[in-house]
């Protein structure tokens, strides 16, 4: 482990061929403001991301790899030419400010609703499932509904899912992103395969740890092959409950994945910690085990403050910290952290859906 008592959030970080100007990362944040029809990234989104370009790296909101991968109204996709063109405007606006941006590749699996495609959501297995998602209500506004019991993916459908990730990674590269981050966290499709409870399969994608990890690692390999390991990241949430899924073997699975991911020399492993969502604080021992399993760069998120990030950086346990809600409310978050300036408070009522209010109208600091 590399202890460095002088390391700060405001020093550069080299990830493969790319150097981040600082270690304050904007976490992936679903905001449900894409254009309909077509789930197309728009000019308002470009302005929102551009405002936050002082981050060392921006990670995009979850972006569906296929129509089937969509789980919430007005989330953007990265599977049509129109969507790629929309993202190209966004990556261009961010690059013009000298910043970097990753695309988060997303398939929600069972966290979805038949109103999006006219078909049942898919998952590892067709088990009972209690969770809610957000669809367009009769009056057009966001409405919370129960997710139906999903349909189990057939074995012969799995190559198509891997292919959708591969196409999405190529699209991300073509749209001008700097990295592709695979979303294998928060109880969405890949974690539905990883977790013992949600995966009851008896084929080679279910059963033991290696079988349950097979889809995630096939996706990782496909995305690496489509682009380059140095341009690929993956987000996991091994501990805690998200979207009605808590893996009793999550700690073990997290370490297994960290080792497999580390072996592939990806740009970074992104750890989503559970305490911001009602879960436990990640313990120091587990951090050390993750670090030992994954010697490459680790970005971590979840209830971070500058102080917590700095102490974990200096202990050699993380390499950068991602901030979610603080970045929603503070477009100039790196400066505010660096100068210990007060933070704007985020307004939860405008997190999901709507227009510029609570999206592009949070002010930067002015004395
Ligand atoms: C999130 N989070 C999230 N995570 C992810 O991997 N993909 C996503 O699309 C989203 N969307 C999202 C939307 C909103 C409104 C919130 C608040 C959170 C989780 C996020 O990346 C981060 O892990 C948490 O917000 C915890 O970090 P903070 O907010 O405590 O810094």
């Amino acid at each position: 482990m590399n202890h460095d008592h002088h390391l700060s959030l405001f020093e550069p970080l080299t990830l493969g061929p790319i150097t981040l100007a600082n270690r304050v990362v904007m976490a992936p944040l679903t905001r449900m403001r894409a254009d309909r029809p077509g789930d197309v990234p728009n000019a308002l989104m470009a302005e929102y991301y551009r405002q936050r370009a002082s981050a060392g790296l921006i990670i995009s909101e979850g972006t569906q790899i296929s129509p089937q991968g969509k789980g919430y109204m007005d989330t953007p996709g990265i599977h049509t030419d129109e969507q790629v063109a929309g993202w190209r405007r966004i990556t261009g606006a961010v690059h013009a400010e000298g910043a970097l941006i990753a695309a988060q590749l997303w398939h929600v699996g069972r966290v979805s609703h038949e109103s999006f495609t006219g078909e049942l959501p898919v998952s590892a297995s067709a088990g009972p499932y209690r969770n809610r998602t957000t669809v367009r209500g009769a009056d057009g506004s966001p409405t919370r509904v129960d997710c139906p019991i999903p349909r189990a993916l057939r074995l012969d459908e799995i190559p198509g899912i891997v292919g959708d990730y591969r196409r999405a990674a190529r699209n991300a590269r073509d749209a001008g992103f700097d990295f592709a981050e695979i979303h294998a966290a928060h109880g969405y499709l890949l974690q539905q395969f990883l977790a013992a409870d949600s995966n009851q399969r008896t084929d080679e994608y279910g059963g033991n740890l290696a079988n349950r990890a097979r889809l995630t690692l096939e996706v990782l390999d496909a995305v690496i092959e489509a682009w380059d390991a140095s341009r690929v990241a993956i987000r996991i949430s091994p501990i805690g409950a998200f979207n009605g899924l808590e893996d009793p073997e999550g700690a073990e699975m997290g370490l297994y994945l960290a080792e497999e991911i580390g072996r592939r020399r990806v740009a970074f492993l992104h750890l989503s910690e559970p305490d911001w969502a009602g879960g436990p604080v990640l313990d120091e021992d587990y951090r050390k085990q993750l670090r030992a399993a994954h010697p490459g760069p680790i970005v971590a998120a979840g209830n971070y403050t500058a102080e917590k990030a700095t102490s974990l950086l200096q202990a050699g346990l993380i390499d950068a910290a991602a901030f979610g809600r603080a970045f929603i409310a503070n477009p100039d978050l790196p400066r505010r952290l660096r100068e210990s300036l007060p933070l704007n408070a985020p307004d939860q009522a405008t997190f999901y859906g709507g227009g510029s209010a609570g999206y592009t109208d949070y002010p930067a600091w002015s004395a």
Side-chain angles (χ1 to χ4, degrees):
M1 213 170 300
N2 186 20
H3 294 261
D4 181 342
H5 300 290
H6 303 288
L7 202 53
S8 91
L9 277 174
F10 306 101
E11 276 158 62
L13 173 65
T14 298
L15 303 173
I18 292 176
T19 299
L20 315 190
N22 63 59
R23 293 156 187 251
V24 180
V25 173
M26 179 173 165
L29 294 160
T30 289
R31 306 300 308 275
M32 295 175 23
R33 283 163 165 91
D35 277 356
R36 65 183 85 123
D39 304 327
V40 179
N42 56 33
L44 180 65
M45 290 166 61
E47 173 60 8
Y48 160 79
Y49 284 112
R50 191 197 60 75
Q51 289 175 347
R52 286 157 181 77
S54 61
L57 171 68
I58 293 171
I59 303 174
S60 82
E61 61 205 281
T63 297
Q64 53 259 6
I65 60 163
S66 63
Q68 185 192 66
K70 176 178 176 177
Y72 304 83
M73 73 177 265
D74 297 343
T75 50
I78 189 153
H79 52 86
T80 70
D81 290 346
E82 210 187 350
Q83 291 163 353
V84 171
W87 281 119
R88 198 172 286 126
R89 283 193 297 272
I90 293 176
T91 62
V94 167
H95 288 153
E97 301 287 331
L100 298 163
I101 181 165
Q104 191 184 51
L105 308 185
W106 195 23
H107 188 311
V108 297
R110 68 186 185 178
V111 190
S112 188
H113 192 264
E114 60 267 43
S115 64
F116 294 121
T117 58
E119 288 168 23
L120 268 187
V122 298
S123 187
S125 299
Y129 179 52
R130 299 185 71 79
N131 198 63
R132 314 196 90 197
T133 190
T134 305
V135 303
R136 194 185 326 287
D139 65 351
S141 62
T143 305
R144 297 290 282 168
V145 291
D146 290 334
C147 299
I149 295 174
R151 167 179 84 75
L153 278 168
R154 295 186 315 271
L155 189 59
D156 66 10
E157 291 177 286
I158 299 220
I161 300 281
V162 176
D164 288 342
Y165 278 98
R166 185 183 294 115
R167 176 186 57 194
R170 290 204 188 103
N171 286 347
R173 184 196 56 199
D174 293 349
F177 283 100
D178 301 287
F179 300 96
E181 175 178 283
I182 296 162
H183 193 349
H186 299 170
Y188 295 112
L189 182 70
L190 295 176
Q191 200 177 14
Q192 291 158 29
F193 275 76
L194 294 171
D197 286 353
S198 49
N199 184 339
Q200 305 289 324
R201 300 179 76 92
T202 54
D203 58 21
E204 66 259 40
Y205 291 90
N208 65 30
L209 210 75
N211 277 358
R212 300 200 312 271
R214 189 178 308 279
L215 177 60
T216 297
L217 295 176
E218 283 183 1
V219 165
L220 181 57
D221 287 333
V223 169
I224 288 172
E225 190 193 288
W227 197 342
D228 190 81
S230 67
R231 301 299 192 136
V232 175
I234 178 165
R235 192 174 215 216
I236 61 172
S237 57
I239 313 285
F242 293 96
N243 282 307
L245 183 153
E246 180 165 19
D247 186 359
E249 294 173 33
E252 205 187 340
M253 179 59 90
L255 294 175
Y256 175 79
L257 286 176
E259 198 173 315
E260 288 292 327
I261 293 162
R263 202 201 302 288
R264 287 163 171 80
R265 302 254 181 280
V266 299
F268 60 93
L269 170 66
H270 188 174
L271 177 67
S272 168
E273 301 180 20
D275 50 311
W276 73 280
V281 175
L282 212 66
D283 72 68
E284 180 95 357
D285 263 5
Y286 192 64
R287 290 186 190 283
K288 288 181 177 158
Q289 289 176 277
L290 276 174
R291 175 51 106 190
H294 188 275
I298 296 179
V299 177
N303 253 351
Y304 272 76
T305 58
E307 293 68 30
K308 175 177 165 183
T310 305
S311 99
L312 290 169
L313 267 182
Q314 293 182 346
L317 293 170
I318 65 170
D319 298 286
F323 295 83
R325 291 162 295 175
F327 248 121
I328 289 178
N330 298 274
D332 55 346
L333 184 65
R335 178 188 172 193
R336 293 190 192 223
L337 297 182
R338 185 174 200 153
E339 298 176 19
S340 302
L341 297 169
L343 300 182
N344 300 325
D347 173 17
Q348 285 198 40
T350 49
F351 277 5
Y352 301 108
S356 59
Y359 191 52
T360 51
D361 61 355
Y362 285 106
W365 178 260
S366 66

